[in-house]
Amino acid sequence: FILGAIATGNLDPVVWRKVRIDRVVLDVSADYLCIAGEHVPMSEHVAQAAVDSLGAILPTPAIVDAIEAAAIILPLPTWAPPAGQSRAAQTSSAVFALCEERTRQLFEARGLTPEQLVAGHRKDVVLARFMPPGVVVIYGARWPDGRRLQPLYPIPGGNPGHEDEYEDYSHAVRAVRDACLLDGRPASVRAILSGPLAHLLGGPVAMARYPLAP
């Protein structure tokens, strides 16, 4: 269903906001990608299809940090599993709906509009230096006290992470336009990440894109 919505241009219209990271000015989606007004968890394959459709790329952890530094920070509004439910509840429609409802309440309480850059209320699917085959790499979100909720996951020698098809209520996708400015001149995010200036964007990365779904 989500791939069909992407293929037919039915992602909600994206509002682009400018964010500077070192010598690079990026265009990033003001919020995580939505369909019919709801933040949509996506596996790595679907996330890649989504950003491809926008001429965009997924962020690195350093880009996530730069976005958060410029954004209005909202905490992840719930934590699964709810009392009395198993760990599997975090992939359920019920918890997804609960998180979305609490997210709407946060936006309404703060009087936020679609033009404002917001972050913290979801974890990002990211590009990183360590991207094991068949695993989705995630990072981001904030606790209510402002602390980082999800450190980069997985890391070398640590927990093997989630399989590539995994997504739960806390995952979402931020788009970063591939077209950017480097020292005021037109450039490409992909080209920067694969070149000698990759460190400007938190690179180098193991790969600049996830494979699409077979």
Side-chain angles (χ1 to χ4, degrees):
F1 174 83
I2 297 171
L3 282 171
I6 292 166
T8 54
N10 283 318
L11 286 173
D12 289 359
V14 174
V15 175
W16 299 99
R17 304 294 296 177
K18 294 196 179 298
V19 169
R20 175 176 287 277
I21 173 171
D22 206 296
R23 294 157 52 191
V24 184
V25 176
L26 303 170
D27 284 315
V28 305
S29 58
D31 194 1
Y32 297 102
L33 301 183
C34 294
I35 297 174
E38 294 191 335
H39 302 87
V40 183
M42 300 183 194
S43 69
E44 65 175 51
H45 309 301
V46 179
Q48 189 62 57
V51 294
D52 283 352
S53 75
L54 298 168
I57 190 170
L58 292 163
T60 65
I63 292 174
V64 173
D65 289 342
I67 291 169
E68 288 189 347
I72 297 168
I73 299 297
L74 303 170
L76 185 67
T78 189
W79 187 247
Q85 296 192 31
S86 73
R87 182 74 173 171
Q90 67 187 37
T91 61
S92 70
S93 295
V95 173
F96 169 72
L98 173 66
C99 189
E100 276 301 290
E101 177 57 30
R102 291 184 176 175
T103 300
R104 280 192 288 271
Q105 291 171 0
L106 283 175
F107 274 65
E108 290 170 3
R110 298 285 294 273
L112 298 175
T113 66
E115 291 73 31
Q116 292 174 284
L117 182 65
V118 290
H121 52 303
R122 293 294 187 275
K123 301 173 188 175
D124 287 81
V125 177
V126 296
L127 308 175
R129 295 169 185 258
F130 180 63
M131 298 173 68
V135 174
V136 61
V137 184
I138 54 175
Y139 175 80
R142 294 284 175 181
W143 292 107
D145 65 6
R147 290 179 297 125
R148 168 69 65 224
L149 192 154
Q150 178 65 70
L152 187 62
Y153 181 75
I155 58 172
N159 190 299
H162 294 302
E163 69 276 11
D164 53 12
E165 293 293 342
Y166 183 84
E167 72 268 353
D168 67 33
Y169 74 98
S170 68
H171 293 192
V173 175
R174 177 87 65 175
V176 181
R177 269 182 174 158
D178 185 47
C180 65
L181 295 176
L182 171 61
D183 295 332
R185 297 181 178 180
S188 158
V189 174
R190 283 190 180 89
I192 293 172
L193 283 173
S194 63
L197 297 178
H199 63 280
L200 297 178
L201 298 177
V205 295
M207 53 186 177
R209 56 181 293 113
Y210 289 98
L212 294 174

